[in-house]
Amino acid sequence: MNLRDRWRSTSENILIPIGAVLASLVVFGIFCAVQGKNPIAIYGTIYQSAFGNSFSWQGTLIRAAPLMLTSLCTALPAMLGLTIIGNEGALIVGGLGAIAMGLALSSLPPIMVQIAMAMAGLIAGGLWIMFVGAIKYYRGVNETISSLLMNYIAIAVLNTLVEGPMRDPSSLNKPSSFPLAAVNMLQSIPNSRVHYGLIYGLVACAIAYFLIHRTTFGFAVRTVGGNIRAAKIAGLPVGKLTLIVTFLGGSCAGLAGMVEIAAIHGSANASLNADYGYSGILVAFIARQNPLVAVLVAVLMGGILASGSALQRSFGLPDATVLLFQGIVFLAILFSESLYGRLDFFKDREPEVKIDASATVV
């Protein structure tokens, strides 16, 4: 790919998502205007609530941490050509695995408990999504539908456990598991209220980018995603790659569940199902499956989520208004996928060939 082609491809990957987001802002503004609200004032409130000061930034980063991790559950399998949307389910089972491990090993030193919880979350989430990859490759089951349905299975498992075998008898109004000891909770970064889960997210995205774009393993994965028949002819182990990549994607979402348990909730309860998995899908799509870009998009999306309560207080809008905004953005991004390779602005114009009419054919 020459420099001009690379510039056009990069421009297309940047400008089309930006255009889709801007279009969604217009649509959401119209919705607010219909409700009798000032769209400019609403956007100003969103900005102030998300990035207006140090306190707002910290709230945004707290919400961005799980979004970085859950976005990889969609972004990594997408390199294989798989559309996985089971992020929420992997997050939930990862959180359940983490709390079970944390309670079982509560007598160990805190650092060992946290490592064991992280490993339990990774393995639980990884196996959950790897099952989706397995039935896709070996049985031809559509991965999008199966991963979506497994979200509901995970929610049902969560409710069954926290209202049954794992329930703390003292949790009356809101059934929850037994809580983690305070010393085993994930601590905050010094001089801030942002927990170390943010570091987990940043490191995971950096490793994912290096693995996919800078290693032979990543080249093999992208080859499978580009043309699976050619990959099989070349002798690539497609089934093995499918299992590995789906496990890695699910393990990132499972780690997000561990972060939510160990840094936010302290126990497993219905609040674990906070839609971070679904928002992670949107982050992955806006970032065009690029793990590094997903970091920036996760921060932006975290800011939008952080503004929900402010919109409710200032404008009387429901807290779910930000979810409506997310839905509009998601639809705009899905529509924008049809524009790649179709806009003349991003196409290389072929030089015109002039034919001399006076020329004779010998």
Side-chain angles (χ1 to χ4, degrees), residues 349-360:
R349 294 180 177 84
E350 296 182 359
E352 296 182 359
V353 179
K354 296 184 178 180
I355 300 177
D356 186 356
S358 63
T360 58

Side-chain angles (χ1 to χ4, degrees), residues 133-327:
I135 61 177
K136 165 63 178 179
Y137 182 76
Y138 295 106
R139 284 290 181 259
V141 179
N142 183 279
E143 76 281 0
T144 306
I145 296 176
S146 62
S147 60
L148 174 63
L149 295 178
M150 288 187 69
N151 287 335
Y152 297 102
I153 296 175
I155 294 171
V157 171
L158 170 67
N159 294 333
T160 300
L161 291 178
V162 299
E163 294 177 10
M166 295 181 67
R167 181 171 182 173
D168 179 3
S170 63
S171 60
L172 301 177
N173 297 327
K174 186 177 183 180
S176 302
S177 69
F178 287 92
L180 284 174
V183 294
N184 293 332
M185 293 285 289
L186 203 60
Q187 303 302 310
S188 298
I189 298 173
N191 301 318
S192 75
R193 61 192 183 97
V194 181
H195 53 72
Y196 279 101
L198 177 65
I199 306 300
Y200 291 178
L202 294 173
V203 171
C205 287
I207 292 175
Y209 178 83
F210 178 81
L211 185 66
I212 295 299
H213 296 279
R214 293 293 184 270
T215 65
T216 54
F217 171 80
F219 178 76
V221 170
R222 286 182 284 120
T223 301
V224 173
N227 191 323
I228 189 171
R229 292 184 62 187
K232 289 181 177 179
I233 293 173
L236 292 178
V238 177
K240 184 178 180 180
L241 290 173
T242 300
L243 296 181
I244 293 175
V245 173
T246 50
F247 178 86
L248 292 176
S251 66
C252 291
L255 182 60
M258 176 269 177
V259 168
E260 285 297 290
I261 288 290
I264 304 297
H265 304 297
S267 63
N269 52 58
S271 297
L272 187 59
N273 180 24
D275 294 333
Y276 281 124
Y278 297 117
S279 298
I281 300 170
L282 180 56
V283 171
F285 272 87
I286 296 177
R288 296 286 295 166
Q289 325 303 342
N290 186 313
L292 295 185
V293 179
V295 173
L296 301 178
V297 178
V299 172
L300 176 62
M301 193 60 60
I304 293 175
L305 293 177
S307 65
S309 58
L311 294 181
Q312 188 176 29
R313 292 192 306 269
S314 302
F315 299 95
L317 293 172
D319 189 51
T321 300
V322 292
L323 299 180
L324 171 65
F325 183 38
Q326 285 187 56

